[in-house]
Each structure stands twice: as C-alpha cells, then as structure tokens.
Amino acid sequence: MPADVPHLADIGRAAERIRGIATRTPIVDSPDLAEVAVSLKLETIQPTGSFKIRGAASRIRSLPESDRARGVVTASTGNHGRAVAHVARSLGIEATVCVSEGVPAGKVAALEALGCELVVDGASQSEALVNAHRLVSDRGMTLIHPFDDPDVIAGQGTIGIELLDQVPDVTTVLVPLSGGGLAAGVATAIKETDPTIRVIGISMQRSAVMAASLAAGEPVDMPERPTLADSLQGGIGLDNRYTFGIVQQHIDEVVLLDEREIWQAMLFALQHHRLVLEGGAAVGIGALLAGKVVPTGPTAVICTGSNVEPRHLAELADELSAAARRDNGPD
C-alpha cells in the first residue's frame, strides 16, 4: 500500500481537525437484536444527517488557503456531497457537487438547499467522478474524494476511536461497506488498537462492488442497480489506491443483504427505537435480524445516516400503523 496510508495516529489528528464541525455521536442499547449486548452508534445526529461530515471536515480543513480559494469539488451518491457542501459553506469555500442521474430526488433537493453548485449528469457515481475530475482540470479546484483519500479515511476512522471509548468490551463491530472509506477508517482504528475485535462489512446484494472486488482479489466495476441502500452504491475505482487494500487487510468478513432484509431493518429501527435510518445505514441491524451475523459477545452497529427518502418514510409509517391496527384489533 502507499506510504501515506492512514494509521491510528493519523485518525487521532483527524479527530482534532473535525472538532467543532462534526459531533461526537451517542450510542443506544438495542436488547431485542441479539442475545448479547448490542449498541447502536448513531451517526444519524450529525449536522448533515450522516457520518460523511467527518471525512469531509478532515479533508477540507487540511487544505492550505491557496487551495481553499479555488474551491472544492466532489462526486457523491448524496450524503458525501451534502457533507462537503456543508463544511465548505461553514468555512466560506465555494463547493461543486457532481451526482449521477440516479441519485434520489430527496438527496438532490438537500444539496440544492445548501447552495452549492450542482452538476447532475451520468448514469453512475463513477461517471459523476469523471465530471468532478474535469472540473479539477478546468478550474483548478481541489477534489474531495468520497472515500479513497487518506484524510477522508482518517476522518471516518474517528468513529472507531469513539466507539472503543464508549464500548470498551466490544468484540464485534458491524460497519456498512461501499467505497470503503468508512470501513477502512473504522477498521484501522479498531485493529491497530485491538486486532482481536472482529470487524464485519455489511452491504446489499445488488451491485456490491467492494464485495465483488474482494472476491476477485482486485478492484472491479459493476453497473449500478436500484436498491434501498442507495448510499452504498457506486464503484471503488479501478485505480483504487487506499480503501481496497485496507479493507482487504482489516475486514474479517463481508455479509450481503437482500432488499427485504434491508427493509425489515429500517422497520425495526423505526418501531423499536423511533429511529429513522436510510437503507444503507440499517444494514448492520439487518444482518443481525436475518441471522447472517451471530455475535458471541458485545457488539456495536454503526448506523450511518438518517437521510431516508420521504416516500420510503411514509411507507414505513404506513406499515407500522397497519401492524398496530392488527395488534390492537378485536379478539
């Protein structure tokens, strides 16, 4: 791997950079998920509704003033772009976000509300990333990569540092897996502290590019397919420099969920915790509910974001209301 691959000390420095922008998030117990203690780490309460603000703040705050003056650009499936736009605006930096035409309307609307320049073009995150690179060449902007960047990985890794402090006896950590920025950062923080802790990556069955790349032994590309876990969509880049190697080294297992299992996880979060989770954020819960992960000791689940599409939220509420009517109906 490259010499500048991030380590635990880099994650510690990132924790200082993001202070005042990202929030130290709480955990809640979820006793109905397994026979062992399960803790949910709620990245849902971050200012932009997802963990992505950590990596964005870590990278942008590391930029010299000359780079800040030329603005920043990124490609995103929604949450990373929102984080970049939020952090950039708070620091007085111009931001452009490139998204594909498949990004849900709710996430596009949230980006528009932040006042960034928005480029909607292409059939996938990979094509959106091509557009972002073009703006780097044309305007001299700085690319804030959604995952394959040492500062971004270190920023996401701050979740791991917090988690070890909050659940010191944890034996298993479940982390959503997509491009690998989150999984690489969290796994680095955990494995370099205690290599006996298991870190399991969870993704969807539909176009899980990192899982397919790990199986192939090298980065591969796949067409995107519609999924409830839309925030986990996108390629990892055939020229991936950091996340593939870190995930390959530190992730103990990868588990894939079907769409119904993801939906059941979203329902569980709303019903048992009044917690709104987008599909990609609920996959850890889904793995436990489906019995695809059977923990043997204290377990932590990273719940990455609350930016669920309004229509999905309405459908979840309708399903819970229907279940309540059945439960409270006449004998």
Side-chain angles (χ1 to χ4, degrees):
M1 284 188 283
D4 58 344
V5 65
H7 292 284
L8 184 60
D10 301 298
I11 295 171
R13 286 188 283 271
E16 293 300 317
R17 284 198 299 275
I18 71 176
R19 195 182 306 277
I21 295 182
T23 299
R24 178 183 170 93
T25 54
I27 62 166
V28 298
D29 295 333
S30 189
D32 295 325
L33 265 178
E35 294 184 1
V36 299
V38 176
S39 302
L40 308 180
K41 184 151 178 66
L42 304 184
E43 288 297 295
T44 53
I45 71 164
Q46 292 290 0
T48 59
S50 91
F51 77 97
K52 287 286 192 176
I53 194 170
R54 294 174 182 264
S58 174
R59 178 70 177 111
I60 294 173
R61 273 196 160 172
S62 72
L63 296 177
E65 286 300 326
S66 57
D67 287 348
R68 296 186 186 196
R70 291 191 294 271
V72 296
V73 60
T74 194
S76 174
T77 56
N79 286 335
H80 175 69
R82 189 171 176 177
V84 168
H86 174 87
V87 174
R89 185 170 71 171
S90 72
L91 298 175
I93 300 170
E94 292 187 4
T96 299
V97 180
C98 300
V99 300
S100 76
E101 295 168 354
V103 170
K107 290 183 176 178
V108 172
L111 285 166
E112 291 173 337
L114 283 167
C116 62
E117 180 182 353
L118 192 60
V119 177
V120 182
D121 182 53
S124 67
Q125 177 173 263
S126 296
E127 293 185 19
L129 192 56
V130 170
N131 292 330
H133 279 292
R134 185 178 300 118
L135 289 174
V136 171
S137 297
D138 292 348
R139 301 187 193 174
M141 306 177 85
T142 296
L143 177 69
I144 310 299
H145 200 284
F147 51 88
D148 199 33
D149 177 277
D151 289 328
V152 171
I153 294 168
Q156 318 304 25
T158 59
I159 296 173
I161 291 178
E162 291 178 16
L163 189 55
L164 290 171
D165 180 57
Q166 294 166 316
V167 192
D169 60 346
V170 67
T171 62
T172 304
V173 177
L174 276 57
V175 54
L177 179 63
S178 180
L182 174 65
V186 169
T188 295
I190 289 171
K191 292 292 190 178
E192 291 191 4
T193 301
D194 184 351
T196 68
I197 298 173
R198 287 180 56 78
V199 183
I200 301 176
I202 318 292
S203 197
M204 67 288 183
Q205 290 179 351
R206 295 182 176 178
S207 301
V209 180
M210 180 62 84
S213 297
L214 293 171
E218 62 182 4
V220 301
D221 202 5
M222 302 170 69
E224 293 180 8
R225 297 172 59 198
T227 175
L228 287 166
D230 56 83
S231 62
L232 302 184
Q233 286 180 320
I236 70 168
L238 297 179
D239 57 349
N240 187 287
R241 285 176 51 81
Y242 301 99
T243 60
F244 175 75
I246 299 172
V247 168
Q248 190 178 46
Q249 178 181 356
H250 287 318
I251 295 293
D252 294 289
E253 182 184 355
V254 175
V255 171
L256 303 181
L257 303 185
D258 64 32
E259 295 300 297
R260 186 59 188 169
E261 289 165 342
I262 297 171
W263 184 256
Q264 289 299 321
M266 296 168 72
L267 271 173
F268 177 94
L270 187 58
Q271 182 176 23
H272 289 258
H273 296 285
R274 294 298 183 261
L275 181 61
V276 174
L277 292 183
E278 56 193 271
V283 291
I285 291 174
L288 293 172
L289 287 176
K292 291 185 172 181
V293 173
V294 182
T296 57
T299 297
V301 179
I302 301 174
C303 300
T304 49
S306 61
N307 297 319
V308 64
E309 282 295 289
R311 65 183 179 89
H312 289 153
L313 184 57
E315 291 166 2
L316 287 165
D318 286 346
E319 190 163 339
L320 289 183
S321 295
R325 288 194 296 271
R326 289 193 301 270
D327 292 342
N328 297 326
D331 293 333

